């Protein structure tokens, strides 16, 4: 269903103009809403609701909050997203990584289970909402781009391991706390002798069953003749089945009396109206975690949204997504929730189940509300170990070890960024992990661009092409040196160009012309411009003329007004071939191909 | 005099191999040293010595140190530089900006005039020497590249103003301290009523005379028939004349008794053997200032060295310069000196006076030693206000207001970097100024590269060229979209490409092919590669084939092994024209030129 886009979304490379008022995508899709779409959305909402109930409870527990907080955070945020969001299928709510980051951030400021702890969670949601909204209004969505794929991938994988490790204690039925992987593993292993065998049995069975459902159930059902669609639904119902079965067993067999921890009373009712804390000291302490949570949530949400939108040739607007996630988090803060974002698994389920518009999110919110009003007593006997099992299976599917291998093969710099993020997240915690990852990837990028590839090129005989003298047999003249610069020039690499020019010129008394072939230069900043002026000045002091060739149009427009071009002794050639034809025509007559090293070594004569 | 360079200095763009032992350039030039070179060097050394004596005293006072420290710092460092330096004409010693930075750094840790203060100065020289040496050995000279021209220029100009403001008190004969421009001006203006009129008279007259010498004397001498060379020397002797005249007047008229501050006793003798502090706490406090001093000194020194070397078709090796400046600073630390670097004015004088080799530096060191042994009693009556006048005139010549105008015209981002550096240096002090400048320029660079120029291109009718549809009348097909990406792809701009592709595809049901023209892409990192894979995946999900064209050789070598290229549904075309010929041959038949906006607006049909 391709939907007409507003004209401004089409055309130029520039981002949408500077609107200060948020758009309301609901007006676009709401207008054409019909019965058919309604049925599709309702069906998708039903499936997502069933999936979301255990997930919401589990992610609230993961954040150290009462289970009902997860349900609260799956009502108002979905409705707000439906109004402001530009994705048609994204499902927002509590997600594993953001819950972990929330727990890490507020764990330092309040005791788990205290009212201050819950209030701090709402405050993070509030701050995160304000930040997302501000970034959206100011078109700062590009900030999230600085979380590179390797860093995000390494971060989410490492966080997944951390989360799984943090669930060991629930699976074992013991107490063990820690912020880092080693802490968690050591703390859990110290408690091995106190392991509650029944709890462990329930937890391990549930985990094993859920893993089997993921990998083994669907092929089995298909082999037994079930239609693919039905097999798919059955496989997705696995978690619900585990919850139903273990809850019934816990009730029937009186497991609570044997020491198994159950979820217990979940208060029935609508999400409460709440207030985040207005304590400015707390705000300043939570500001950095809230920013990191906002960025991670935004990146995760946008990549899911883009993937789903593209499947139907729709598109999402990143700045609008910021606004929508901002309102979602604000609403979570005022309705007793925790930070939320667009989740991968639930959005894919929503999409596959046929959701056509964000109205599906509204229906899901209604479903969750009904569940919190009617269904919570049925969850009284739900074993906590079962929820841990669902968390473990969900997060371990996020762990991608392959990225280490893939980046190692493709780019050592990217590998270094992934590895640094992994190690810092596991060893120092989630916030440090992200900061280290971003720092390392930026440093490596700057390092790379500061050492541009600059090739000494010569004419391929009988053609108009120029190639690197070190790779090809080409013609060069002792009177002319051509350097092809394979990078935009800016302050960090301008001096490298100066060095390279000096190197190419030093000890060549017969040299008269130096041509910079600019075909790969997209921009020249003021530093590089000064370097070029310095190069021109030094060369002309040495009796050598600087020329440029193949300067791009937009760059030439800017260079025209500069002292460099106005006072350039040399010329600016449209093509490198024209440069050689004008400066060393004798080279074009030459038919003798000298091997590059031999020609090049003429450089050694003083 | 072109000198044969070692073979490794020529050829490829790669930096010199990983040597761990410093080279000794003295062996290169020392071998051919002859009588003629000796005479040239000796003459240059004589002129530089005369110039250096007052400068050394003045810059030591500027750093808050006894005047003789400046002389000490002009002996051993020159000799060490002569052995290790790769520039033939660079003259090292105390320079204004580095002295100011030294004073700012140690002023927080010791009282001016105390032994601890002097010891801290030597410690900074020591730390700076170790850092420079380490950077040279590890080939980390590129770090200095992150001080962009606008930042360095803004920093040096603002520092010049700070230094001039700090000299007001000496000119007025009052006490006034401060770290920032406002502090300094307020403190000085509060003391106006205590101004010592004789001191002010001497200071202002000396300053006015020196400005006149710079601008008015040489033309006057030339008009009066003096040969150009002699007029030049006479103009440069101005500072010496001012010093001689005011010293004689102070002695003859008994100005000291009238309250004029004089330099007083400068101890006679060779530079002492000293030890920097080994206090690790002090080291950790001085580490950042020492790093900034090292980088600023290195950048200043290398740019002077490169300019002079290029005039004789020589070149300097930045890593070797780091080693040489490292040894120079270490020697300053052990001979009672302060941090040193290659100075602009003195190096130019040295070069113009005919210095052929670093031996001139050795002779200058001998000259300064003789001066400290024999001449210091003659400087007893030298008024401090005269030295302040020489400092003011020297540093105000460093102030370059033009860069504000030039960068404003050429690049707003560079203007912002200069302005931020200016404001932060004047308002927050030298260290903050540098850190803010580097931070702003990096942030702006990253911002720019994160929003790459991506043009929708079409075929110029009757040619094989492709141009931006927004700038030219070109042919496009509703079945094919070509995007030309004008930037290397990396994590910060990969998502911008995804957005742009989504935008170009959304609402075009007739679209079948998308070509990325890669002629300006020099590199693709792992994030961007994943983005391309995601784009390919999304496009193929929507029935559109992704193709690439004009991929560069080195990039293609790396892409060959990736999943993207191995599983690409589309093709990789050598030229964009071949792509169009293969995918939409009907376009080549078309002779109708439609205005770009009209064609482009077909995008609006859903």
């Amino acid at each position: 269903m391709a939907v007409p886009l507003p004209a401004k979304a089409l055309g130029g490379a520039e981002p949408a103009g500077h609107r200060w008022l948020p758009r309301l995508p609901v007006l676009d899709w709401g207008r054409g809403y019909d019965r058919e779409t309604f049925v599709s959305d309702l069906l998708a909402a039903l499936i997502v609701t069933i999936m979301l109930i255990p997930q919401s409870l589990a992610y609230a527990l993961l954040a150290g909050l009462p289970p009902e907080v997860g349900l609260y955070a799956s009502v108002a945020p979905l409705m707000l997203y439906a109004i402001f969001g530009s994705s048609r299928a994204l499902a927002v709510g509590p997600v594993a990584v953001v819950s972990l980051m929330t727990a890490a951030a507020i764990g330092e400021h309040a005791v788990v289970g205290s009212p201050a702890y819950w209030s701090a969670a709402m405050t993070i949601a509030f701050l995160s909402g304000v930040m997302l909204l501000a970034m959206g209004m100011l078109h700062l969505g590009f900030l999230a781009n600085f979380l590179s794929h390797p860093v995000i991938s390494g971060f989410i994988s490492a966080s997944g391991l951390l989360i799984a490790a943090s669930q060991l204690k629930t699976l074992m039925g013991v107490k063990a706390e820690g912020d880092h992987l080693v802490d968690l593993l050591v703390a859990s292993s110290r408690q091995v002798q106190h392991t509650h065998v029944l709890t462990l049995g329930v937890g391990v069975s549930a985990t094993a069953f859920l893993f089997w459902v993921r990998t083994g159930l669907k092929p089995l059902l298909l082999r037994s003749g079930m239609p693919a669609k039905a097999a798919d639904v059955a496989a997705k119902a696995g978690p619900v089945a585990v919850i139903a079965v273990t809850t019934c067993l816990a009730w029937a067999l009186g497991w609570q009396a044997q020491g198994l921890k159950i979820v217990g009373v979940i208060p029935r009712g609508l999400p409460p109206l709440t207030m985040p804390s207005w304590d400015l000291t707390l705000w300043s302490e939570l500001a950095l975690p809230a920013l990191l949570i906002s960025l991670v949530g935004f990146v995760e949400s946008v990549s899911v949204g883009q993937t789903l939108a593209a499947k139907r040739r729709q598109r999402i607007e990143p700045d609008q997504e910021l606004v929508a996630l901002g309102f979602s988090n604000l609403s979570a803060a005022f309705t007793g929730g925790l930070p939320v974002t667009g989740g991968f698994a639930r959005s894919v389920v929503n999409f596959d189940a046929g959701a056509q518009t964000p109205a599906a999110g509204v229906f899901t919110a209604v479903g969750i509300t009904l569940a919190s009003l009617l269904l919570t007593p049925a969850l009284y006997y739900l074993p906590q170990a079962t929820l841990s099992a669902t968390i473990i299976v969900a997060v371990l599917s996020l762990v991608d070890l392959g990225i280490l291998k893939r980046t190692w093969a493709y780019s050592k710099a990217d590998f270094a960024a992934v590895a640094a993020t992994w190690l810092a997240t596991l060893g120092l915690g989630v916030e440090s992990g992200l900061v280290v990852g971003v720092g390392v990837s930026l440093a490596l990028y700057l390092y790379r661009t500061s050492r541009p590839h600059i090739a000494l090129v010569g004419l391929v005989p009988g053609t108009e092409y120029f190639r690197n003298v070190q790779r090809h047999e080409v013609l060069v003249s002792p009177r002319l040196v051509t350097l092809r610069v394979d990078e935009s020039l800016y302050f960090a690499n301008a001096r490298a160009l100066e060095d390279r020019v000096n190197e190419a010129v030093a000890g060549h008394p017969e040299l008269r012309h130096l041509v910079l072939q600019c075909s790969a230069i997209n921009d020249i900043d003021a530093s590089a411009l000064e370097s070029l002026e310095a190069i021109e000045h030094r060369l002309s002091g040495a009796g050598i003329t600087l020329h440029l060739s193949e300067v791009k149009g937009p760059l030439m427009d800017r260079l025209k007004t500069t002292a460099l071009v106005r006072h350039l002794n040399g010329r600016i050639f449209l093509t490198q071939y024209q440069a050689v034809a004008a400066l060393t025509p004798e080279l074009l007559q030459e038919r003798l191909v000298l091997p590059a090293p031999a020609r090049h070594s003429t450089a050694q004569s003083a």
Side-chain angles (χ1 to χ4, degrees), chain A residues 19-52:
Chain A
R19 296 176 277 105
W20 288 81
L21 287 177
R23 237 167 42 75
L24 294 174
V26 64
L27 299 179
D28 299 340
W29 58 262
R31 220 166 275 154
Y33 206 74
D34 57 16
R35 194 190 151 80
E36 194 192 337
T37 320
F38 171 74
V39 174
S40 294
D41 285 348
L42 197 63
L43 190 72
L46 185 69
I47 296 174
V48 173
T49 305
I50 294 171
M51 176 191 180
L52 264 192

Side-chain angles (χ1 to χ4, degrees), chain A residues 493-503 531 534-535 538:
Chain A
N493 63 22
R495 202 173 299 278
L497 176 65
E498 293 186 47
D499 288 348
R500 189 70 183 83
V501 168
N502 292 343
E503 189 180 291
S531 280
I535 288 170
R538 286 177 204 150

Side-chain angles (χ1 to χ4, degrees), chain A residues 161-472:
Chain A
L161 285 184
L162 273 185
I163 293 170
S166 75
Q167 297 305 310
L168 284 180
K169 62 173 192 293
T170 320
L171 230 51
M172 293 159 64
V174 299
K175 281 188 191 299
E177 297 301 328
D179 283 340
H180 323 146
L181 189 67
V182 176
D183 285 9
L184 283 166
L185 294 180
V186 168
S188 301
S189 65
R190 285 212 184 116
Q191 299 291 323
V192 164
Q193 72 277 18
H194 302 125
T195 303
H196 189 258
V197 178
L198 175 61
T199 306
L200 188 67
V202 172
V204 169
S205 314
T207 308
F209 177 74
L210 287 170
F211 269 117
W212 174 75
V213 164
R214 285 206 165 227
T215 54
L217 180 61
K218 197 173 154 189
L220 188 75
L221 293 174
L222 289 174
R223 272 200 305 278
S224 67
M226 191 183 271
K229 193 94 182 174
D232 216 40
V233 171
K236 271 178 192 135
V240 177
V242 170
I243 284 166
V245 168
T246 55
T247 306
C248 289
L249 287 175
W251 167 72
L253 302 179
W255 280 351
Q256 187 189 8
Q258 296 171 45
L260 181 101
K261 283 203 191 129
I262 56 170
V263 168
V265 177
I266 301 176
R268 289 165 74 161
L270 296 170
L273 278 181
T274 54
M275 273 293 209
S277 163
W278 302 102
D279 175 357
L280 287 181
T281 318
L282 185 65
W283 282 23
S284 72
E285 287 167 350
L286 295 180
L288 179 66
L291 179 67
L292 296 177
I293 286 172
S294 305
L295 291 177
V296 168
F298 174 61
V299 169
E300 215 186 322
S301 190
V302 160
S303 45
V304 179
Q306 273 181 331
T307 303
L308 298 182
K311 288 194 182 181
R312 293 187 188 147
R313 296 207 186 188
Q314 298 163 352
R315 62 185 291 264
I316 63 168
E317 295 162 50
D319 286 329
Q320 185 65 32
E321 285 302 283
L322 282 166
V323 170
L325 291 175
F327 279 120
S328 295
N329 274 289
L330 282 180
S331 72
F334 291 102
T335 57
L338 77 168
V340 295
T341 193
F344 179 73
R346 70 191 62 169
S347 301
V348 172
V349 168
N350 194 32
F351 182 90
D352 287 348
Q356 295 291 339
T357 74
V362 177
F363 304 149
T364 306
V366 172
I368 300 272
T369 309
L370 290 176
S372 6
L373 286 174
L374 308 175
L375 215 68
T376 49
L379 296 170
Y380 181 88
Y381 286 103
L382 172 56
Q384 289 192 9
T386 306
L387 286 180
S388 282
T390 64
I391 293 178
I392 290 175
V393 175
V395 296
L396 286 186
S397 73
L398 301 175
V399 178
D400 174 15
L401 283 167
I403 186 129
L404 286 168
K405 206 180 136 196
R406 289 198 304 280
T407 51
W408 176 262
Y410 183 68
S411 150
K412 300 293 176 285
D414 285 303
F415 172 79
V418 187
T421 311
W422 262 88
L423 292 176
T425 306
L426 293 179
L428 304 171
V430 280
E431 286 166 21
S432 312
L434 262 189
V435 171
V436 167
V438 171
V440 167
S441 53
L442 283 180
L444 289 170
Y445 170 69
L446 292 171
Y447 176 75
R448 193 186 62 67
T449 60
S450 78
R451 320 190 85 165
H453 184 245
I454 301 176
L456 186 62
V457 297
L459 180 66
V460 179
T463 73
E464 298 193 3
Y465 295 119
F466 288 78
R467 290 288 181 273
N468 194 333
V469 298
Q470 297 190 316
R471 293 188 176 210
H472 301 85

